[in-house]
Amino acid sequence: MKIIDAHSHLWLSQDTMVEGLPIYTTANGRSMFLGEEKQMLPPFMIDGRNSAEVFLSNMDYAQVSAAVVVQEFIDGNQNDYLREVKRQHPNRFFVFGFCDYRKSGYLEEARRLIDDDTFGGMAIPAHRMIGSDGRISLNSDEMMQMFRYMEQRKKILSICLADDDIQLGEMEEIIQECPTLKVAVGHLGMATTPGWRKQIELALHPQVFIEAGGITWLYHDEFYPYPGAVRAIRQAADWVGMDKLMWGSDYPRTITAITYRMSYDFVLRSDELTEAEKELFMYQNAQSFYGFRHLVSLPYIRNMSE
């Protein structure tokens, strides 16, 4: 089957501030992250560049035909870089625009990005909008104007919610006010937290889908082959249907611990999902939701160790 990654990240450099603390590249794949040096990339990516070229090499090796690139406060604004990535690789990437929603007055910039055919929608890391930087309401006047404009322009909202129900009421209002706005909720609703079912059930609305970006990070403690992650996918499918779920890797964060192929092949090797369900989860839902065309077919390349 073909494979589509519904949640990934790209950047040329990290240099930003979150909750009053700096995030910046150091050396050997590491970054200073909220007061602690972290292994942000695999140690062989020594220049700190999380580039499309390196990602494409990983995608080709792992036979991933296309990827959706979202954006996050902790990576800094990557609009300019993603515009170039999309221009160079139009059939391999779907890219989201991004604004600093923490500061009022972003609507004009958001409208320019929404009108730019490069970007398929806007990404909002809403789980970063309830901390010490101040609570930003998703149903504020400026946000709602942006969502209505996105709906008019048929653009997609990618959003990751806080791991409790603090933003669910706001999301329900957005969904009701913008009934044709397509929404992708990230991180499988934060499946390891007590209230995750409520996030998953947002997908009972016809225009809302769930992507599982970072699921191997959520189940990091149990490690490969992630039986708890497979059970969570199965449970979410029982709640809203497998036709509402999409695989995502959260590349490159997750491949500091595992290979890119490992971030999905635990799903393909599982006997808890049918082959038809795996095809829906791994590419068919994402292909329809994001409108991918002309997916490349990638051969399996044997390793030297085989």
Side-chain angles (χ1 to χ4, degrees):
M1 71 177 74
K2 291 183 172 65
I3 299 172
I4 296 174
D5 187 341
H7 188 120
S8 66
H9 301 271
L10 293 173
W11 63 78
L12 289 184
S13 64
Q14 286 184 306
D15 185 10
T16 188
M17 297 280 293
V18 173
E19 298 187 4
L21 294 170
I23 299 172
Y24 56 89
T25 297
T26 55
N28 299 330
R30 298 191 295 269
S31 291
M32 187 58 65
F33 180 77
L34 305 181
E36 180 183 357
E37 192 171 40
K38 293 270 193 174
Q39 193 71 46
M40 189 69 64
L41 299 169
F44 52 80
M45 294 169 70
I46 60 175
D47 60 2
R49 290 166 58 95
N50 171 33
S51 70
E53 288 72 27
V54 173
F55 190 20
L56 283 166
S57 181
N58 273 284
M59 290 167 63
D60 290 352
Y61 170 75
Q63 298 174 279
V64 175
S65 295
V68 177
V69 184
V70 301
Q71 296 200 56
E72 237 271 33
F73 288 119
I74 65 173
D75 301 330
N77 189 308
Q78 303 296 326
N79 289 332
D80 290 343
Y81 180 50
L82 294 186
R83 189 179 285 109
E84 181 64 17
V85 168
K86 179 66 174 179
R87 185 189 68 80
Q88 292 185 8
H89 310 285
N91 295 324
R92 300 300 298 274
F93 293 111
F94 181 107
V95 301
F96 279 98
F98 178 74
C99 292
D100 191 346
Y101 312 104
R102 301 168 298 184
K103 301 174 182 177
S104 62
Y106 56 81
L107 182 59
E108 184 177 347
E109 179 188 7
R111 283 176 168 163
R112 287 197 300 269
L113 294 168
I114 293 163
D115 286 338
D116 186 339
D117 289 340
T118 302
F119 300 105
M122 298 295 290
I124 301 181
H127 59 306
R128 305 277 184 198
M129 294 162 55
I130 59 171
S132 60
D133 283 344
R135 171 75 188 278
I136 309 298
S137 297
L138 298 176
N139 58 351
S140 68
D141 288 344
E142 194 167 23
M143 277 281 179
M144 294 304 297
Q145 288 182 66
M146 183 180 73
F147 295 141
R148 293 188 183 102
Y149 196 71
M150 291 172 63
E151 183 182 31
Q152 292 171 13
R153 297 299 190 273
K154 295 181 169 53
K155 295 297 180 80
I156 297 173
L157 170 62
S158 169
I159 191 162
C160 295
L161 299 173
D163 57 358
D164 54 29
D165 61 1
I166 190 170
Q167 294 169 320
L168 285 175
E170 297 170 3
M171 278 305 305
E172 289 285 359
E173 181 177 340
I174 293 163
I175 292 165
Q176 294 294 334
E177 288 290 316
C178 303
T180 64
L181 174 65
K182 294 171 70 174
V183 180
V185 176
H187 299 314
L188 200 70
M190 296 302 292
T192 53
T193 62
W196 73 292
R197 179 171 183 167
K198 293 180 180 178
Q199 286 198 33
I200 298 298
E201 288 183 341
L202 289 171
L204 293 173
H205 295 281
Q207 77 275 35
V208 181
F209 280 59
I210 306 293
E211 46 94 339
I215 192 168
T216 61
W217 156 64
L218 292 173
Y219 290 89
H220 175 75
D221 288 346
E222 70 177 27
F223 204 65
Y224 189 90
Y226 304 106
V230 175
R231 288 193 295 271
I233 295 165
R234 173 77 275 156
Q235 181 63 79
D238 290 344
W239 289 333
V240 299
M242 189 62 77
D243 60 339
K244 284 302 195 80
L245 307 181
M246 303 178 287
W247 170 72
S249 69
D250 209 7
Y251 176 99
R253 312 193 206 288
T254 48
I255 65 164
T256 56
I258 57 175
T259 68
Y260 187 46
R261 184 183 291 275
M262 289 169 70
S263 68
Y264 73 77
D265 75 353
F266 73 95
V267 175
L268 300 187
R269 293 173 185 270
S270 172
D271 58 6
E272 294 193 37
L273 305 175
T274 67
E275 290 304 307
E277 288 175 326
K278 291 173 185 177
E279 290 188 356
L280 287 169
F281 183 65
M282 295 303 304
Y283 86 98
Q284 288 179 352
N285 295 336
Q287 183 175 24
S288 174
F289 185 80
Y290 292 105
F292 279 106
R293 301 289 184 269
H294 312 298
L295 291 177
V296 298
S297 296
L298 298 164
Y300 176 72
I301 305 299
R302 295 175 61 211
N303 296 322
M304 280 294 296
S305 58
E306 292 182 78

